[in-house]
Amino acid sequence: MMTDESVKALFTQSIQTQISAVESLSEDMQGTVELLVGHLLNGQRVFISGTDTSSSLADHFVHLMTEGMKLERPPFPVMSLSANPKKQLAALGQSGDILLVIADKDSEQLTGVMESAISREMIIIALTGEGNELVSGLLGPNDVELRVPSLNAARVLETQLFILHSLCEQIESTIFPEEH
């Protein structure tokens, strides 16, 4: 049975994860925004892939980036990879494009699409949690990892959603400063 204390404990865990994340990710998030903005303004595309629950985060991010989060603006070229992401990326990805992967767990699907991106000389941005060693192990020196400091899958996903919202908001305010 859910008690007042157990509800408070869940909120406290979430808040503590957010505090740990802001301490470890602030600088990397700023660099990620600059990377995404630069590539979007140069006409490159962003492909995004997730597995299981994180695929819904991927679709949500695509919606925000194409429809606008806070602004009515032109859509950004951001596309979710779905049924066979490795083949989709092999068909559409080009050198200089970005692959954003959201890892709620290590999976062959994510590592396969990452290998496809590597072969196409794409940059990879990986949203991970603690324990996503297969995904982290494929990242090169020009890639970015935004690692949520938690092993708890629910806390990782909550923080990844916040990161995606933050990235979109910062991209909009950077590209369209007059609107803010």
Side-chain angles (χ1 to χ4, degrees), residues 57-77:
L57 293 181
D59 291 341
H60 179 63
F61 185 68
V62 169
H63 175 78
L64 294 175
M65 293 294 284
T66 55
E67 298 296 323
M69 182 166 180
K70 288 186 159 187
L71 302 175
E72 191 170 318
R73 55 160 174 79
F76 296 129

Side-chain angles (χ1 to χ4, degrees), residues 49-57 101-107 110 127-132 135 150-154 156-157 160:
S49 185
T51 58
D52 300 329
T53 307
S54 64
S55 67
S56 62
L57 293 181
V101 294
I102 305 172
D104 56 355
K105 62 182 180 184
D106 279 330
S107 77
L110 279 184
L127 273 61
T128 65
E130 297 294 330
N132 293 129
V135 169
S150 177
L151 286 168
N152 182 314
V156 170
L157 286 165
Q160 287 174 333

Side-chain angles (χ1 to χ4, degrees), residues 32-91:
T32 302
V33 168
E34 292 169 6
L35 176 70
L36 286 163
V37 166
H39 279 71
L40 290 169
L41 290 176
N42 284 330
Q44 274 110 3
R45 296 169 296 179
V46 177
F47 297 92
I48 185 166
S49 185
T51 58
D52 300 329
T53 307
S54 64
S55 67
S56 62
L57 293 181
D59 291 341
H60 179 63
F61 185 68
V62 169
H63 175 78
L64 294 175
M65 293 294 284
T66 55
E67 298 296 323
M69 182 166 180
K70 288 186 159 187
L71 302 175
E72 191 170 318
R73 55 160 174 79
F76 296 129
V78 178
M79 182 182 320
S80 183
L81 301 172
S82 53
N84 191 333
K86 185 176 180 175
K87 282 191 175 180
Q88 285 180 306
L89 197 62

